[in-house]
Amino acid sequence: DSGVTQTPKHLITATGQRVTLRCSPRSGDLSVYWYQQSLDQGLQFLIQYYNGEERAKGNILERFSAQQFPDLHSELNLSSLELGDSALYFCASSANPTGSEQYFGPGTRLTVT
Amino acid sequence: DQQVKQNSPSLSVQEGRISILNCDYTNSMFDYFLWYKKYPAEGPTFLISISSIKDKNEDGRFTVFLNKSAKHLSLHIVPSQPGDSAVYFCAASARARTASKLTFGTGTRLQVTL
Protein backbone atom coordinates (compact mmCIF):
# COMPACT_ATOMS: atom_id res chain seq x y z
CA ASP A 1 0.00 0.00 0.00
CA SER A 2 1.61 3.25 -1.21
CA GLY A 3 -0.50 5.48 1.02
CA VAL A 4 -2.02 7.26 -2.00
CA THR A 5 -5.77 6.78 -2.33
CA GLN A 6 -7.92 7.29 -5.38
CA THR A 7 -11.69 7.25 -5.79
CA PRO A 8 -13.64 5.89 -7.47
CA LYS A 9 -11.95 2.65 -8.50
CA HIS A 10 -14.13 2.25 -11.58
CA LEU A 11 -16.25 4.73 -13.47
CA ILE A 12 -18.50 4.07 -16.46
CA THR A 13 -20.07 7.02 -18.21
CA ALA A 14 -21.37 8.12 -21.58
CA THR A 15 -19.79 10.31 -24.23
CA GLY A 16 -20.28 14.01 -23.63
CA GLN A 17 -20.48 13.65 -19.88
CA ARG A 18 -18.24 15.11 -17.18
CA VAL A 19 -16.54 13.21 -14.35
CA THR A 20 -14.33 14.03 -11.38
CA LEU A 21 -11.55 11.77 -10.15
CA ARG A 22 -10.25 12.24 -6.64
CA CYS A 23 -6.81 11.65 -5.13
CA SER A 24 -5.45 11.90 -1.61
CA PRO A 25 -1.65 11.96 -1.42
CA ARG A 26 0.53 10.18 1.12
CA SER A 27 0.59 11.85 4.49
CA GLY A 28 3.10 14.70 4.37
CA ASP A 29 3.46 14.77 0.58
CA LEU A 30 2.84 18.19 -0.94
CA SER A 31 3.18 17.32 -4.61
CA VAL A 32 0.53 15.52 -6.63
CA TYR A 33 0.82 14.23 -10.18
CA TRP A 34 -1.78 12.86 -12.61
CA TYR A 35 -1.01 10.29 -15.30
CA GLN A 36 -3.10 8.61 -17.97
CA GLN A 37 -2.50 5.06 -19.15
CA SER A 38 -4.37 4.06 -22.30
CA LEU A 39 -4.52 0.49 -23.60
CA ASP A 40 -1.03 -0.89 -24.29
CA GLN A 41 0.52 2.48 -23.61
CA GLY A 42 2.95 3.69 -21.02
CA LEU A 43 1.89 6.24 -18.50
CA GLN A 44 1.50 9.73 -19.92
CA PHE A 45 2.10 12.66 -17.60
CA LEU A 46 -0.82 15.07 -17.42
CA ILE A 47 -0.17 17.65 -14.71
CA GLN A 48 1.64 18.34 -11.42
CA TYR A 49 0.56 20.40 -8.42
CA TYR A 50 2.67 21.39 -5.47
CA ASN A 51 1.04 22.79 -2.35
CA GLY A 52 -1.93 24.05 -4.33
CA GLU A 53 0.00 25.53 -7.26
CA GLU A 54 0.31 24.11 -10.74
CA ARG A 55 3.98 23.29 -11.36
CA ALA A 56 4.18 21.33 -14.60
CA LYS A 57 1.89 20.46 -17.45
CA GLY A 58 2.15 17.58 -19.87
CA ASN A 59 -0.12 16.33 -22.63
CA ILE A 60 -3.30 17.38 -20.89
CA LEU A 61 -6.28 18.15 -23.11
CA GLU A 62 -8.13 21.45 -22.76
CA ARG A 63 -11.22 19.43 -21.80
CA PHE A 64 -9.35 18.24 -18.72
CA SER A 65 -8.55 20.32 -15.67
CA ALA A 66 -7.20 19.68 -12.21
CA GLN A 67 -6.77 21.40 -8.90
CA GLN A 68 -5.19 20.77 -5.53
CA PHE A 69 -7.09 21.87 -2.45
CA PRO A 70 -5.76 23.31 0.85
CA ASP A 71 -6.00 19.87 2.47
CA LEU A 72 -3.70 18.70 -0.40
CA HIS A 73 -6.16 16.34 -2.01
CA SER A 74 -6.49 16.75 -5.75
CA GLU A 75 -9.25 16.37 -8.30
CA LEU A 76 -9.00 15.73 -12.01
CA ASN A 77 -12.01 16.92 -13.98
CA LEU A 78 -12.68 15.41 -17.39
CA SER A 79 -15.43 16.98 -19.50
CA SER A 80 -17.07 16.43 -22.90
CA LEU A 81 -15.87 12.86 -22.64
CA GLU A 82 -14.98 10.94 -25.77
CA LEU A 83 -14.52 7.20 -26.31
CA GLY A 84 -10.76 7.75 -26.53
CA ASP A 85 -10.68 9.07 -22.98
CA SER A 86 -11.25 5.55 -21.70
CA ALA A 87 -8.11 4.75 -19.73
CA LEU A 88 -6.58 4.19 -16.34
CA TYR A 89 -5.92 7.43 -14.51
CA PHE A 90 -3.23 7.34 -11.87
CA CYS A 91 -2.41 9.84 -9.20
CA ALA A 92 1.01 9.94 -7.60
CA SER A 93 2.55 11.99 -4.82
CA SER A 94 5.97 13.01 -3.60
CA ALA A 95 7.25 15.04 -0.70
CA ASN A 96 8.75 17.87 -2.74
CA PRO A 97 8.29 19.34 -6.22
CA THR A 98 11.44 17.74 -7.60
CA GLY A 99 10.72 14.38 -6.00
CA SER A 100 11.21 12.02 -8.87
CA GLU A 101 10.45 9.07 -6.60
CA GLN A 102 6.73 9.29 -6.93
CA TYR A 103 4.34 6.97 -5.13
CA PHE A 104 1.32 5.88 -7.10
CA GLY A 105 -2.27 5.21 -6.14
CA PRO A 106 -4.20 2.18 -7.42
CA GLY A 107 -5.78 4.16 -10.26
CA THR A 108 -9.27 4.90 -11.51
CA ARG A 109 -10.46 2.94 -14.52
CA LEU A 110 -12.65 5.17 -16.68
CA THR A 111 -14.81 3.61 -19.37
CA VAL A 112 -16.63 5.94 -21.75
CA THR A 113 -19.44 4.26 -23.72
CA ASP B 1 7.91 10.97 -30.10
CA GLN B 2 8.77 8.20 -27.66
CA GLN B 3 11.60 9.61 -25.55
CA VAL B 4 11.86 6.48 -23.40
CA LYS B 5 11.74 3.15 -25.15
CA GLN B 6 11.45 -0.39 -23.91
CA ASN B 7 11.81 -2.44 -27.04
CA SER B 8 11.02 -5.82 -25.51
CA PRO B 9 7.33 -6.08 -24.69
CA SER B 10 7.85 -9.35 -22.85
CA LEU B 11 10.55 -11.52 -21.28
CA SER B 12 10.43 -15.02 -19.82
CA VAL B 13 13.09 -16.19 -17.38
CA GLN B 14 13.50 -19.30 -15.26
CA GLU B 15 13.39 -18.98 -11.51
CA GLY B 16 16.86 -18.47 -10.06
CA ARG B 17 18.30 -17.03 -13.27
CA ILE B 18 19.08 -13.41 -14.04
CA SER B 19 16.44 -11.14 -15.58
CA ILE B 20 17.75 -8.24 -17.64
CA LEU B 21 15.32 -5.54 -18.68
CA ASN B 22 16.49 -2.83 -21.05
CA CYS B 23 15.54 0.76 -21.67
CA ASP B 24 16.77 3.40 -24.11
CA TYR B 25 16.20 7.13 -24.03
CA THR B 26 16.69 9.95 -26.46
CA ASN B 27 16.48 13.13 -24.39
CA SER B 28 19.94 14.14 -23.17
CA MET B 29 18.32 16.43 -20.56
CA PHE B 30 17.16 13.42 -18.52
CA ASP B 31 19.20 13.25 -15.34
CA TYR B 32 17.32 10.78 -13.17
CA PHE B 33 16.06 7.34 -14.04
CA LEU B 34 13.72 4.99 -12.25
CA TRP B 35 12.24 1.54 -12.54
CA TYR B 36 8.70 0.77 -11.46
CA LYS B 37 6.98 -2.58 -11.13
CA LYS B 38 3.28 -2.96 -11.78
CA TYR B 39 0.95 -5.80 -10.91
CA PRO B 40 -2.52 -6.02 -12.51
CA ALA B 41 -5.16 -3.79 -10.89
CA GLU B 42 -2.50 -1.93 -8.88
CA GLY B 43 -0.57 1.27 -9.35
CA PRO B 44 3.13 1.22 -10.26
CA THR B 45 5.47 0.56 -7.33
CA PHE B 46 8.83 2.31 -7.15
CA LEU B 47 11.71 -0.18 -7.32
CA ILE B 48 15.03 1.52 -7.77
CA SER B 49 16.49 4.71 -9.21
CA ILE B 50 19.77 6.11 -10.44
CA SER B 51 21.10 9.61 -10.90
CA SER B 52 23.00 10.51 -14.05
CA ILE B 53 26.15 11.09 -12.00
CA LYS B 54 26.32 7.37 -11.26
CA ASP B 55 26.61 4.34 -13.50
CA LYS B 56 25.34 1.71 -11.10
CA ASN B 57 22.98 1.45 -8.18
CA GLU B 58 22.25 -1.70 -6.26
CA ASP B 59 19.45 -2.60 -3.86
CA GLY B 60 19.27 -6.22 -2.81
CA ARG B 61 18.45 -8.37 -5.81
CA PHE B 62 17.96 -5.33 -8.03
CA THR B 63 20.74 -3.46 -9.81
CA VAL B 64 20.33 -0.65 -12.31
CA PHE B 65 23.10 0.19 -14.76
CA LEU B 66 23.30 3.46 -16.66
CA ASN B 67 25.34 4.01 -19.81
CA LYS B 68 25.02 7.72 -20.56
CA SER B 69 27.02 7.66 -23.76
CA ALA B 70 24.70 5.03 -25.19
CA LYS B 71 21.62 6.55 -23.54
CA HIS B 72 20.80 3.12 -22.20
CA LEU B 73 19.88 1.70 -18.86
CA SER B 74 19.16 -1.78 -17.68
CA LEU B 75 17.62 -3.45 -14.66
CA HIS B 76 19.14 -6.70 -13.46
CA ILE B 77 17.19 -8.96 -11.11
CA VAL B 78 19.16 -11.81 -9.63
CA PRO B 79 18.06 -14.35 -8.67
CA SER B 80 14.66 -14.03 -10.30
CA GLN B 81 11.69 -15.20 -8.28
CA PRO B 82 8.10 -16.03 -9.34
CA GLY B 83 6.86 -13.00 -7.37
CA ASP B 84 8.88 -10.80 -9.73
CA SER B 85 6.43 -11.58 -12.52
CA ALA B 86 4.93 -8.19 -13.37
CA VAL B 87 5.18 -5.37 -15.87
CA TYR B 88 8.30 -3.25 -15.43
CA PHE B 89 8.33 0.38 -16.51
CA CYS B 90 11.42 2.45 -17.07
CA ALA B 91 10.97 6.16 -16.36
CA ALA B 92 13.13 9.24 -16.77
CA SER B 93 13.07 12.76 -15.41
CA ALA B 94 14.70 16.05 -16.32
CA ARG B 95 14.52 17.57 -12.86
CA ALA B 96 13.97 21.26 -12.53
CA ARG B 97 14.18 23.19 -9.26
CA THR B 98 10.46 23.63 -8.99
CA ALA B 99 8.91 20.76 -10.88
CA SER B 100 9.31 17.19 -11.89
CA LYS B 101 7.57 14.89 -14.31
CA LEU B 102 8.28 11.33 -15.27
CA THR B 103 8.41 10.12 -18.85
CA PHE B 104 7.62 6.42 -18.98
CA GLY B 105 8.42 3.65 -21.42
CA THR B 106 5.68 1.29 -22.55
CA GLY B 107 6.75 -1.48 -20.21
CA THR B 108 8.18 -5.00 -20.36
CA ARG B 109 6.13 -7.90 -19.05
CA LEU B 110 8.41 -10.23 -17.10
CA GLN B 111 7.34 -13.80 -16.46
CA VAL B 112 9.44 -15.88 -14.10
CA THR B 113 8.77 -19.56 -14.61
CA LEU B 114 9.38 -22.41 -12.20
Side-chain angles (χ1 to χ4, degrees):
Chain A
D1 184 356
S2 66
V4 178
T5 60
Q6 289 187 249
T7 57
K9 204 173 175 99
H10 301 277
L11 198 49
I12 301 175
T13 189
T15 54
Q17 295 299 303
R18 173 189 169 95
V19 297
T20 297
L21 313 184
R22 184 188 166 103
C23 166
S24 292
R26 290 189 319 164
S27 177
D29 283 357
L30 298 179
S31 204
V32 169
Y33 310 78
W34 286 97
Y35 291 85
Q36 178 193 56
Q37 184 184 22
S38 302
L39 193 64
D40 294 332
Q41 296 289 314
L43 287 85
Q44 302 288 322
F45 170 74
L46 295 178
I47 198 163
Q48 177 199 4
Y49 278 84
Y50 176 75
N51 205 18
E53 291 183 0
E54 183 185 304
R55 284 299 178 97
K57 224 167 183 176
N59 299 323
I60 186 166
L61 300 171
E62 283 191 17
R63 301 183 286 108
F64 295 2
S65 65
Q67 55 184 326
Q68 186 180 28
F69 294 87
D71 68 352
L72 301 176
H73 91 271
S74 177
E75 292 181 357
L76 179 67
N77 300 296
L78 314 176
S79 61
S80 303
L81 284 167
E82 302 175 359
L83 295 177
D85 297 328
S86 295
L88 268 168
Y89 291 85
F90 289 102
C91 169
S93 73
S94 67
N96 54 58
T98 61
S100 296
E101 290 168 18
Q102 299 171 17
Y103 295 87
F104 283 76
T108 293
R109 180 174 292 282
L110 173 66
T111 303
V112 182
T113 61
Chain B
D1 175 28
Q2 193 74 21
Q3 296 186 61
V4 177
K5 299 178 186 178
Q6 294 177 257
N7 292 319
S8 298
S10 63
L11 176 67
S12 183
V13 171
Q14 265 191 325
E15 182 182 11
R17 300 286 187 108
I18 184 171
S19 296
I20 300 176
L21 295 96
N22 293 303
C23 178
D24 297 295
Y25 63 96
T26 57
N27 188 341
S28 55
M29 298 300 291
F30 288 146
D31 61 356
Y32 200 75
F33 304 89
L34 307 90
W35 286 93
Y36 281 82
K37 177 167 82 170
K38 186 180 181 305
Y39 293 118
E42 293 183 14
T45 303
F46 169 73
L47 259 183
I48 191 169
S49 61
I50 187 167
S51 165
S52 59
I53 61 172
K54 293 187 175 181
D55 54 21
K56 176 182 173 181
N57 188 27
E58 196 170 348
D59 184 1
R61 296 187 296 115
F62 302 91
T63 303
V64 57
F65 295 91
L66 175 62
N67 182 334
K68 287 188 293 294
S69 60
K71 292 192 175 67
H72 176 84
L73 64 154
S74 61
L75 174 69
H76 292 210
I77 306 173
V78 57
S80 301
Q81 299 173 353
D84 296 329
S85 297
V87 178
Y88 288 78
F89 290 97
C90 168
S93 172
R95 292 181 296 180
R97 269 195 324 121
T98 59
S100 171
K101 70 171 194 178
L102 296 179
T103 301
F104 282 84
T106 51
T108 296
R109 183 177 302 277
L110 172 66
Q111 184 172 9
V112 179
T113 58
L114 297 173

